[in-house]
Amino acid sequence: MRTKGSHRIYKKGKERFVIPFHSAKNLHPKIVKRLFEMIESID
């Protein structure tokens, strides 16, 4: 959807996902887990 600073903002339906984005760095496992939980709850 858009980018603000080091965060990328995505939208699926009415849900909005804010994901921190830092090139050459991996996402923290807790962030990945929460993202998958949010995606599963929408489908």
Side-chain angles (χ1 to χ4, degrees), residues 3-42:
T3 302
K4 183 175 183 181
S6 62
H7 291 78
R8 294 193 177 176
I9 302 167
Y10 298 93
K11 188 174 181 182
K12 183 174 181 182
K14 293 182 179 181
E15 292 292 322
R16 185 175 61 119
F17 309 99
V18 179
I19 302 174
F21 180 79
H22 305 280
S23 60
K25 291 189 177 183
N26 294 327
L27 290 175
H28 191 279
K30 288 183 181 181
I31 295 173
V32 175
K33 181 181 176 186
R34 184 164 182 249
L35 178 62
F36 279 119
E37 288 172 353
M38 291 172 70
I39 290 170
E40 287 178 355
S41 69
I42 293 174

